[in-house]
Amino acid sequence: MATTYTISDLAREFDLTTRAMRFYEDMGLLQPERSGPGGRNRIYSARDRTRLKLTLRAKRLGLSLSEAKDIIDMYDSPRDTGPQLKKFLAVLAQHRRQLEEQMADLQANLDEVKVHEREARSLLARVEREPARVRQAVNAK
């Protein structure tokens, strides 16, 4: 007998809401069987669990859900894995370029913050020295 899961089982295991699970289903990432009155109960298979795990891994990598779906769907087909791996590498390369651009932007922003911090510290030191000069001038009179 194959292992099956309820929506609550998988939501709990992967720390998701049942709403997120239904969203992934709407996106075509999960395809549970239906049972009960009006098909209200979702029954997830081991395949659905694996697809969910891969979807969440793709999200952590920063891939969009449609990119994740494209890649995961390729592995469902009985075709040669060469094209699948090439597609996956292309998606990862594009994502890496985006992350590197974001990192460069963040580094430039961080460098600018450091410059402003140095300027502010210098100005603060000058301001803090001035009251001492004023007190010295008053005391000298």
Side-chain angles (χ1 to χ4, degrees):
M1 186 170 172
T3 303
T4 59
Y5 307 89
T6 66
I7 192 169
S8 298
D9 292 336
L10 291 180
R12 188 173 30 259
E13 178 180 350
F14 292 99
D15 195 25
L16 297 169
T17 63
T18 54
R19 183 175 184 212
M21 296 285 298
R22 289 189 296 273
F23 178 73
Y24 293 149
E25 184 181 335
D26 290 343
M27 294 288 296
L29 289 156
L30 304 174
Q31 297 153 352
E33 291 184 28
R34 300 295 189 124
S35 70
R40 289 187 45 184
N41 299 328
R42 293 168 168 83
I43 302 170
Y44 293 91
S45 65
R47 176 185 174 274
D48 287 312
R49 183 185 176 279
T50 299
R51 286 179 65 90
L52 179 59
K53 189 174 184 177
L54 292 171
T55 298
L56 297 174
R57 183 177 299 160
K59 278 187 62 181
R60 278 193 309 275
L61 288 172
L63 302 179
S64 70
L65 289 179
S66 61
E67 289 171 323
K69 183 180 182 321
D70 288 346
I71 292 168
I72 294 167
D73 284 348
M74 284 192 301
Y75 286 95
D76 281 343
S77 69
R79 298 180 302 189
D80 180 26
T81 58
Q84 296 162 348
L85 291 171
K86 287 177 184 174
K87 168 73 172 170
F88 184 52
L89 286 171
V91 169
L92 287 176
Q94 173 60 31
H95 184 63
R96 182 179 33 78
R97 281 190 294 276
Q98 289 174 333
L99 289 174
E100 287 169 347
E101 288 173 10
Q102 290 173 347
M103 206 151 118
D105 289 345
L106 286 171
Q107 187 60 53
N109 195 342
L110 186 58
D111 291 344
E112 187 175 344
V113 166
K114 289 176 183 178
V115 167
H116 289 295
E117 282 179 329
R118 280 193 301 271
E119 290 174 357
R121 283 191 181 97
S122 175
L123 287 171
L124 180 61
R126 200 174 327 158
V127 166
E128 288 175 343
R129 282 192 306 264
E130 285 182 17
R133 279 192 226 134
V134 170
R135 280 194 305 272
Q136 288 172 350
V138 169
N139 289 339
K141 289 185 180 181

